[in-house]
Amino acid sequence: MTWIIATFYKFVPLVDVGQLQRILLVYCQQLELRGTILLAPEGINATVVGRQSAIDHLLAWLASQPQIGPCHYQAGIITKVPFERLKVKLKSEIVALGKPEINPADQVGVYVEPEDWNSLISDPEVMVIDTRNAFEVEVGSFKGAVNPQTRSFRELPAYVANHLDPVHHPQIAMFCTGGIRCEKATAYLLKQGFQQVYHLKGGFSTIFAGFLLVRAYGRENVLSLINGLASTISWKPAPINCVRPAAIPSGMVL
C-alpha cells in the first residue's frame, strides 16, 4: 500500500494558536492523517502522511481560513508510514533560528524560481550558502556552495556575525531542503544590513523534482550543478486541488 507524504509551511501571523491547535488535531484525526504540525505566532509548518484526498481536504480547509489562506506543498509517495500518530505542537517559532522577532512575512529575500537558480549561482559575484546542518550538506550540495558547518539552524546567526559582512558580501544566495530555513535566513540577513539576498524557492528538494529545470537546461546540465543526492524520496511540486473541505464538527471554525 502506498501513502502520500506532504510537507508545507507558511509564514503568516496567527492569532489564538491554542484554538487552532485544538481544531487541527481533531480535524486531522478525522482525516486519519499522521505526522507533525507546528504552530507559532509566525505561521505553520507541517509534515503529514495519509491518503491524497485527506491531504487535499486539509489544505482546502487551511485555504478557507482568512488568517492562513492557500499553502503550497511538496509531496511524494511512500510505502511505509514514518509516524505513529498525529501531533500538533505549539512553538515560539515554526523553524528554530532562536530569533522569534525575525518574520519573513514582514521582510524576506528575493525568491528565485528553480529554472533561474542555475544562472544565479553560476555568477562569480554571488556567494552561495547552504543553510542546512553539516550532516545534511554531506549528503549533497551545489558546487561551490559554502558549508557553514552548523549543527543546528540556531547556530546560523553566529556564523553570519563571524564570517559575513554586507560590504564584502554584497550578493548572497541561500538554500535549504524545503525552503523554510533559507526563507527565514534571508529575512535575518536583511535585518543585519545585507541588501541583495536571494533564496531558492521551494528549497533543494525542488531541484530533484525540477521538471522545469530539466526542460529548460536538459538533464545533464541540471545534474552537473549538484554534488551527491539530496534525498532518497522523489519529490514533486503539487498544487492544491480544488475540493471542498470535509465536514467540520459544529463550532470548529476560526
Side-chain angles (χ1 to χ4, degrees), residues 57-69:
H57 280 303
L58 171 60
L59 288 165
W61 183 80
L62 290 172
S64 72
Q65 303 305 304
Q67 68 170 332
I68 300 176

Side-chain angles (χ1 to χ4, degrees), residues 196-233:
Q196 298 184 60
V197 186
Y198 309 88
H199 57 99
L200 176 59
K201 186 175 181 180
F204 198 59
S205 60
T206 61
I207 298 300
F208 287 86
F211 302 113
L212 289 175
L213 278 175
V214 173
R215 284 201 296 266
Y217 302 113
R219 180 178 177 82
E220 294 304 319
N221 288 333
V222 172
L223 297 181
S224 69
L225 286 174
I226 301 169
N227 292 321
L229 298 174
S231 175
T232 57
I233 299 176

Side-chain angles (χ1 to χ4, degrees), residues 42-173:
E42 68 179 10
I44 182 171
N45 181 15
T47 300
V48 292
V49 175
R51 300 183 307 277
Q52 180 68 63
S53 60
I55 290 171
D56 290 342
H57 280 303
L58 171 60
L59 288 165
W61 183 80
L62 290 172
S64 72
Q65 303 305 304
Q67 68 170 332
I68 300 176
C71 298
H72 296 287
Y73 75 102
Q74 295 177 329
I77 299 173
I78 59 175
T79 56
K80 184 177 180 180
V81 178
F83 305 104
E84 293 184 0
R85 60 190 177 93
L86 178 80
K87 299 178 182 178
V88 183
K89 300 180 178 181
L90 299 183
K91 298 285 186 178
S92 60
E93 300 175 89
I94 58 173
V95 58
L97 183 64
K99 303 287 183 180
E101 70 278 10
I102 301 298
N103 192 343
D106 298 328
Q107 185 181 35
V108 72
V110 177
Y111 294 91
V112 180
E113 297 291 341
E115 62 267 33
D116 298 323
W117 186 248
N118 186 342
S119 177
L120 177 67
I121 67 174
S122 297
D123 185 342
E125 298 299 317
V126 175
M127 182 180 186
V128 184
I129 299 177
D130 193 331
T131 65
R132 298 173 301 156
N133 299 334
F135 75 91
E136 296 174 280
V137 177
E138 291 177 0
V139 178
S141 189
F142 292 102
K143 291 181 179 178
V146 175
N147 177 6
Q149 298 290 337
T150 54
R151 293 169 297 178
S152 74
F153 191 49
R154 287 179 177 272
E155 295 181 0
L156 189 67
Y159 170 81
V160 172
N162 294 326
H163 299 279
L164 300 181
D165 179 84
V167 175
H168 297 98
H169 307 102
Q171 297 186 70
I172 295 179

Side-chain angles (χ1 to χ4, degrees), residues 8-17 19-21 23-24 37-45 58-72 105 240 253-254:
F8 63 90
Y9 71 91
K10 188 171 186 178
F11 287 103
V12 59
L14 296 180
V15 296
D16 200 350
V17 290
Q19 181 188 20
L20 179 58
Q21 177 193 37
I23 293 173
L24 276 174
I37 300 175
L38 304 181
L39 299 173
E42 68 179 10
I44 182 171
N45 181 15
L58 171 60
L59 288 165
W61 183 80
L62 290 172
S64 72
Q65 303 305 304
Q67 68 170 332
I68 300 176
C71 298
H72 296 287
I240 299 173
V253 294
L254 297 183

